[in-house]
Amino acid sequence: MSTRTLVKNLAALPDGPVTVSGWVETVRDQKKVQFVILRDESGAVQLVNPATREVDPSLTEPAEVAEASARLATTEAISALAHGSFITVTGELKHDERVKLGGLEVKIASFEVVTAANPETPIAADSSLDKRMDWRFLDLRHPKQALIFRIQTTFLHALRGVWVEKGLIEIQTPKLMASASESRAELFEVEYFEGKAYLAQSPQFFKQMAQAAGFGGVFEVGPAFRADPSFTSRHATEFTSIDTEISWIDSHEDVMALHEELMVAGFQAVVDKHGAEIAELFGIELTVPTRPFPRIPLAEAKQIVADRGYVIPRADDDMDPEGERQISAYVKEAFGHDFVFLTDYASSIRPFYHMRHEGDPSLTNSYDLIYNGVEISTGAQREHRIDVLIEQARDKGMDPEELEFYLDFFRYGVPPHGGFGMGLARVLMLMLEEHSIRETTYLFRGPTRLQP
Amino acid sequence: MSTRTLVKNLAALPDGPVTVSGWVETVRDQKKVQFVILRDESGAVQLVNPATREVDPSLTEPAEVAEASARLATTEAISALAHGSFITVTGELKHDERVKLGGLEVKIASFEVVTAANPETPIAADSSLDKRMDWRFLDLRHPKQALIFRIQTTFLHALRGVWVEKGLIEIQTPKLMASASESRAELFEVEYFEGKAYLAQSPQFFKQMAQAAGFGGVFEVGPAFRADPSFTSRHATEFTSIDTEISWIDSHEDVMALHEELMVAGFQAVVDKHGAEIAELFGIELTVPTRPFPRIPLAEAKQIVADRGYVIPRADDDMDPEGERQISAYVKEAFGHDFVFLTDYASSIRPFYHMRHEGDPSLTNSYDLIYNGVEISTGAQREHRIDVLIEQARDKGMDPEELEFYLDFFRYGVPPHGGFGMGLARVLMLMLEEHSIRETTYLFRGPTRLQP
């Protein structure tokens, strides 16, 4: 590896020689002195070069002429530097309180253009989101955009720490399936040799299979696919789904308890590691949610929303996005909490595999987790009794014969179980008060976007 | 959650009341006493029940009759227990050295069949691999099979620990692409609204994009897809790829150094956590590889193989599977090592984006990692100079116009970089001396297998 020092590590070094590598963020080319802001993945530093605009004609010593020529060449190279070019600079680190950027600068001794950028950058600070997505690799150079993915890294690692500590097993479930896992309507079809395959809409069936296999508990962070033609700020045709499923639960309450624990661990890690940067770049004082998160049965939540004067314009029993915002606002006012579990959704709007209430089959042992006004997750206890499961599939107008491979999981014994799926990009969007999951997805995929 | 005790935690408990939950592995229904082996995700325990075959007709006290009837019912329920059924048992834990299985047993006080299994199990110990895969959820109940996925969990968590510690960023790259990422020949086509999309054969382009974005280093564990019609023990149409890519390298040597560090961390964690179980169930004394792994340029490796009397029957410059076994055998004999980096592959058999030697464009800055005789990974320094990259694409007969979105990554500056992709199931297969990646894949996908 090159012996570069990461910019964030300069502050702890004494004055003296250093090498830094990164890309050129700005050049200020003044007559007597040149300033370059160099950025790497850890931060930005000011480089300074006293300009040599000509070789003093009075010089006669060959060594002096050579040195002056070299300084002239460096000066001209800096003048010609295109924004975005990657450079490696060796020079003298000097701590100087007058330098706004971190209180230090590096006086350039030698510098190398590793790869020169095209001088015309295709996006600017005021470019549209769509245009920025066309040039996502340049967009991601902005410290704010890059921070999102460092936060993502920290968040996921904290979740996995909890799962591993609890002895859950990480599975990679197949994304190629012989039939639908959720809804026939939003299914991508794949040419598969002489036949067809379909892209998994969720790992639902396969993480349930692990319960029949006696795994006890599993987790997965992986892609899921929905052929959803909508263009909202919350939908994508491909998204990263955070999934877990555990056995031997008594009800969905056990799933919510695990869910809370994961969220608290994830937020705690993010606040600890990135809290200051989030405050600086996003202007948000991120806090760790307190347990327990408020829980409100859906019917009650709808009443609360109605009492606030909002009538949900839906014929079915579901919430709508404005209803979710309203109930979140209520929870924030009443409990000071950013999260709320809406529980006990109606069977009519839940999949056939959600367990229904004992004694009231119109309701399910299920929940949605709402965060800052938007649904980020659906969880439930699953129906593990094969005869009830088949009945519920029929009740939804499904043909049990088409579900044979899934129903088989329940024919040789399976413990009571449940779990949730959660959209990673939504969590990040709401955490950072961004307006679209396009901002919090590395490379967004939508009905009209497959590139880059 | 139910208050069950995991079987592995029983040994540390004093004699007294416990509740355990799991599935029935065997029933020994003797006249005077019944034994049930109950297994959960952590181990197996013997349950014992003194059989009550009839209610003593001499009993007259109603309480005594009721108790005897209950014991008769329990006895009959145990006699009727189908292998595989999930049960919850409360009883008295008793440590007893005479019990072979862990030196303890639980005397059944009450027991509940949570879900009864079909009495006829479709697979047996001697079922074919294909048949076992048909019933994968039953196959995975075997402790040996389940251990594979606990090892996988530990291995991946250790790798991620290294990446996170080094400050690398976790990315989730899209699996839906507008064009091929590797080879047009092995590409799955997806119906994408009015057009077509393709499934990513690797995250290659997208992890390189992160270098242009200034991320410094990235990692991903996710699915990759190859429309490969072959039926070997090492190939699948969908597999889990472990990927990393880092900036500011001097050569592929830096990639190999990271690769070694990751493997050592992964193996160390597996040996620490599962070494004893691996010895017990697989008969393997797994050890942690020592650094540095041997490195042999491919040309030299081919000479060594030829000197051993094996002539590689290939017209191109590549190794073949038998050649890989031979060089592994040599390395084991000469260096006592299970791993070997074969380096400096010919440009003719490497993708266009591998950097070629300065001064000898017939060779690349690349390597394969061979483990116990099989290739598990390909790594390389990438060509980051746009003009050279375009030239190399043309040299491979590719049309640079079709690669525009990828080539754009190099037009605005990019640091020198490299990385590797590694097949998770292959690592596990070779670690555990299994004969096929079908054994080390949660749900295998091949040309004729899409279920379960």
Side-chain angles (χ1 to χ4, degrees):
Chain A
M1 299 293 282
S2 69
T3 53
R4 70 174 176 138
T5 300
L6 284 177
V7 167
K8 71 171 178 187
N9 295 332
L10 290 174
L13 292 184
D15 286 3
V18 292
T19 298
V20 288
S21 296
W23 67 94
V24 173
E25 196 165 81
T26 59
V27 179
R28 261 195 305 144
D29 193 9
Q30 299 175 353
K31 189 158 192 289
K32 302 227 160 167
V33 63
Q34 300 173 303
F35 296 99
V36 174
I37 303 297
L38 173 139
R39 184 173 288 282
D40 70 10
E41 63 269 34
S42 73
V45 62
Q46 178 166 290
L47 312 177
V48 61
N49 186 53
T52 297
R53 297 295 177 183
E54 58 171 8
V55 176
D56 185 345
S58 67
L59 291 176
T60 50
E61 276 300 318
E64 284 176 356
V65 173
E67 199 204 320
S69 301
R71 277 195 273 115
L72 176 62
T74 294
T75 300
E76 288 177 343
I78 291 172
S79 295
L81 257 186
H83 168 268
S85 297
F86 279 76
I87 63 175
T88 287
V89 168
T90 297
E92 285 289 310
L93 171 68
K94 197 176 162 203
H95 291 265
D96 182 343
E97 285 182 7
R98 291 169 301 174
V99 180
K100 280 187 197 160
L101 190 63
L104 51 81
E105 64 181 13
V106 175
K107 189 179 164 195
I108 296 173
S110 74
F111 105 126
E112 180 199 357
V113 177
V114 176
T115 41
N118 270 8
E120 303 205 357
T121 39
I123 55 169
D126 61 349
S127 293
S128 71
L129 176 54
D130 209 54
K131 179 100 178 175
R132 288 198 283 117
M133 284 163 56
D134 286 341
W135 300 96
R136 185 62 164 159
F137 61 102
L138 295 176
D139 186 43
L140 289 172
R141 286 190 188 173
H142 290 283
K144 192 172 164 176
Q145 261 68 288
L147 177 59
I148 293 171
F149 298 92
R150 295 214 306 282
I151 292 168
Q152 172 178 295
T153 306
T154 300
F155 182 75
L156 289 177
H157 198 60
L159 263 53
R160 293 192 187 106
V162 173
W163 281 318
V164 168
E165 174 66 29
K166 288 181 176 293
L168 272 67
I169 294 179
E170 176 167 0
I171 52 175
Q172 273 83 28
T173 63
K175 307 310 163 198
L176 291 168
M177 297 181 71
S179 55
S181 54
E182 296 282 337
S183 133
R184 288 233 148 250
E186 299 186 345
L187 205 53
F188 284 120
E189 189 179 288
V190 182
E191 300 289 326
Y192 198 76
F193 302 102
E194 306 304 304
K196 301 282 183 198
Y198 302 92
L199 292 182
Q201 297 157 305
S202 83
Q204 184 60 38
F205 289 0
F206 302 133
K207 61 181 183 165
Q208 288 191 259
M209 191 189 92
Q211 313 311 307
F215 276 24
V218 294
F219 65 94
E220 177 173 23
V221 177
F225 306 88
R226 304 270 167 103
D228 180 344
S230 63
F231 286 91
T232 81
S233 62
R234 309 179 312 282
H235 291 91
T237 52
E238 176 177 355
F239 63 97
T240 300
S241 183
I242 298 170
D243 277 275
T244 191
E245 195 82 14
I246 50 174
S247 280
W248 300 108
I249 63 169
D250 290 329
S251 76
H252 53 311
E253 193 55 56
D254 293 323
V255 181
M256 289 190 279
L258 173 62
H259 205 153
E260 285 177 342
E261 186 179 347
L262 289 163
M263 296 308 280
V264 167
F267 274 68
Q268 185 69 59
V270 170
V271 168
D272 289 350
K273 196 160 179 179
H274 308 291
E277 289 170 289
I278 292 172
E280 185 193 340
L281 295 174
F282 288 88
I284 294 168
E285 295 293 335
L286 192 68
T287 55
V288 180
T290 53
R291 291 183 69 180
F293 297 1
R295 288 144 166 78
I296 305 177
L298 182 66
E300 195 180 311
K302 288 168 71 177
Q303 189 55 55
I304 290 167
V305 168
D307 291 347
R308 290 170 68 93
Y310 178 67
V311 181
I312 297 168
R314 285 182 74 118
D316 66 17
D317 294 310
D318 212 351
M319 272 283 185
D320 72 342
E322 178 57 25
E324 289 170 355
R325 277 189 288 275
Q326 291 278 346
I327 195 68
S328 258
Y330 163 79
V331 168
K332 187 74 179 171
E333 291 159 23
F335 308 107
H337 214 287
D338 298 328
F339 289 86
V340 57
F341 286 118
L342 300 184
T343 67
D344 305 279
Y345 277 66
S347 309
S348 56
I349 52 169
R350 289 305 214 191
F352 75 99
Y353 52 79
H354 281 201
M355 184 178 273
R356 299 179 181 178
H357 280 205
E358 215 175 314
D360 183 359
S362 74
L363 296 177
T364 58
N365 283 3
S366 75
Y367 68 88
D368 274 8
L369 178 56
I370 314 290
Y371 173 36
N372 282 346
V374 179
E375 181 238 307
I376 57 172
S377 176
T378 294
Q381 178 170 18
R382 322 303 181 181
E383 181 53 64
H384 63 280
R385 295 162 296 185
I386 178 75
D387 49 337
V388 183
L389 189 59
I390 290 173
E391 203 44 58
Q392 292 185 181
R394 284 214 183 91
D395 184 47
K396 291 277 180 191
M398 301 171 82
D399 179 359
E401 294 229 342
E402 287 190 25
L403 294 165
E404 271 308 291
F405 90 94
Y406 171 67
L407 294 174
D408 273 341
F409 303 162
F410 301 85
R411 293 196 165 106
Y412 299 88
V414 62
H417 64 278
F420 68 82
M422 180 166 68
L424 173 59
R426 286 196 185 190
V427 176
L428 294 168
M429 171 180 82
L430 295 157
M431 177 193 284
L432 301 170
E433 298 175 12
E434 292 281 328
H435 295 294
S436 170
I437 57 168
R438 291 162 179 78
E439 299 279 8
T440 54
T441 302
Y442 180 65
L443 282 167
F444 174 79
R445 289 294 181 255
T448 57
R449 179 167 290 279
L450 280 170
Q451 277 192 339
Chain B
M1 299 292 281
S2 69
T3 54
R4 70 176 177 137
T5 299
L6 284 176
V7 167
K8 71 171 179 188
N9 295 332
L10 290 174
L13 291 185
D15 286 2
V18 292
T19 298
V20 289
S21 296
W23 66 95
V24 173
E25 196 164 80
T26 58
V27 179
R28 262 195 306 144
D29 193 10
Q30 299 175 353
K31 189 159 191 287
K32 301 229 161 166
V33 63
Q34 300 173 303
F35 297 99
V36 174
I37 304 297
L38 173 140
R39 185 175 286 282
D40 69 11
E41 64 268 35
S42 73
V45 62
Q46 177 166 291
L47 313 177
V48 62
N49 185 54
T52 297
R53 298 294 178 185
E54 57 171 9
V55 176
D56 185 344
S58 68
L59 291 176
T60 51
E61 274 300 319
E64 284 177 358
V65 173
E67 198 205 321
S69 300
R71 278 195 272 114
L72 176 63
T74 295
T75 300
E76 288 178 343
I78 292 172
S79 296
L81 257 187
H83 168 268
S85 298
F86 280 75
I87 62 175
T88 288
V89 169
T90 297
E92 284 290 309
L93 171 67
K94 196 178 163 200
H95 292 265
D96 182 344
E97 285 181 7
R98 292 167 301 175
V99 181
K100 280 187 198 159
L101 189 63
L104 51 83
E105 64 182 14
V106 175
K107 189 177 164 196
I108 297 173
S110 74
F111 107 126
E112 180 199 357
V113 177
V114 177
T115 41
N118 269 9
E120 304 203 357
T121 39
I123 54 170
D126 61 349
S127 292
S128 70
L129 175 54
D130 208 53
K131 178 101 178 172
R132 288 199 283 117
M133 284 163 55
D134 286 341
W135 299 95
R136 184 63 163 159
F137 60 102
L138 295 175
D139 185 43
L140 290 172
R141 286 190 190 174
H142 290 284
K144 192 172 164 176
Q145 262 68 288
L147 177 59
I148 293 171
F149 298 92
R150 294 215 307 280
I151 292 169
Q152 171 178 296
T153 305
T154 300
F155 183 74
L156 290 177
H157 199 60
L159 265 53
R160 293 194 187 106
V162 173
W163 282 317
V164 168
E165 175 65 30
K166 288 182 176 294
L168 272 67
I169 294 178
E170 176 166 2
I171 53 175
Q172 273 83 28
T173 64
K175 307 309 163 199
L176 292 169
M177 297 181 71
S179 56
S181 54
E182 296 282 338
S183 132
R184 288 234 146 247
E186 298 186 345
L187 205 53
F188 283 121
E189 189 178 290
V190 182
E191 301 289 326
Y192 198 76
F193 302 101
E194 305 305 304
K196 300 282 183 199
Y198 303 93
L199 293 182
Q201 296 157 307
S202 83
Q204 185 60 39
F205 290 179
F206 301 132
K207 63 181 183 165
Q208 288 191 257
M209 190 190 93
Q211 314 310 307
F215 275 23
V218 294
F219 66 93
E220 178 174 22
V221 177
F225 306 88
R226 304 269 167 104
D228 179 345
S230 63
F231 285 90
T232 82
S233 61
R234 308 179 313 282
H235 291 92
T237 52
E238 175 176 356
F239 63 98
T240 300
S241 183
I242 298 170
D243 277 274
T244 191
E245 195 82 14
I246 49 174
S247 280
W248 300 108
I249 62 170
D250 290 329
S251 76
H252 53 310
E253 194 52 59
D254 293 323
V255 181
M256 288 191 279
L258 173 62
H259 205 152
E260 285 177 342
E261 186 178 349
L262 288 163
M263 297 307 279
V264 167
F267 275 66
Q268 185 70 59
V270 170
V271 168
D272 289 349
K273 196 159 179 179
H274 309 291
E277 289 170 289
I278 292 171
E280 184 193 341
L281 294 173
F282 288 88
I284 295 168
E285 294 294 334
L286 191 68
T287 56
V288 180
T290 53
R291 292 184 67 179
F293 298 0
R295 288 144 166 77
I296 305 177
L298 183 65
E300 195 180 309
K302 288 168 71 178
Q303 189 56 54
I304 291 167
V305 168
D307 292 346
R308 290 170 68 93
Y310 178 67
V311 183
I312 297 169
R314 286 183 73 117
D316 65 18
D317 293 308
D318 211 352
M319 272 282 183
D320 73 342
E322 178 56 27
E324 289 170 357
R325 276 189 287 276
Q326 291 278 345
I327 195 68
S328 258
Y330 164 79
V331 168
K332 187 76 180 170
E333 291 158 24
F335 308 106
H337 213 288
D338 298 328
F339 290 86
V340 57
F341 286 119
L342 301 184
T343 66
D344 305 279
Y345 276 67
S347 309
S348 56
I349 52 169
R350 288 306 214 193
F352 75 97
Y353 53 77
H354 281 200
M355 184 178 274
R356 297 178 182 179
H357 280 204
E358 214 175 314
D360 182 0
S362 75
L363 296 177
T364 57
N365 283 4
S366 76
Y367 68 88
D368 273 9
L369 179 56
I370 315 290
Y371 173 37
N372 282 347
V374 179
E375 181 239 308
I376 57 171
S377 176
T378 295
Q381 179 171 16
R382 321 303 183 183
E383 181 53 64
H384 64 280
R385 295 162 295 186
I386 178 74
D387 49 336
V388 183
L389 189 59
I390 290 172
E391 204 43 59
Q392 291 184 180
R394 283 213 185 91
D395 184 49
K396 291 278 180 189
M398 300 170 84
D399 178 359
E401 294 230 341
E402 286 191 27
L403 294 165
E404 270 308 292
F405 91 91
Y406 172 66
L407 295 173
D408 274 339
F409 302 162
F410 300 85
R411 294 195 163 108
Y412 298 88
V414 61
H417 64 278
F420 68 81
M422 179 165 68
L424 173 60
R426 286 196 185 190
V427 176
L428 294 168
M429 171 181 82
L430 295 156
M431 176 194 285
L432 301 170
E433 299 176 12
E434 291 282 329
H435 295 294
S436 169
I437 57 167
R438 290 162 179 76
E439 298 279 8
T440 54
T441 303
Y442 180 65
L443 283 167
F444 174 79
R445 290 294 182 254
T448 57
R449 179 166 292 278
L450 281 170
Q451 278 193 336

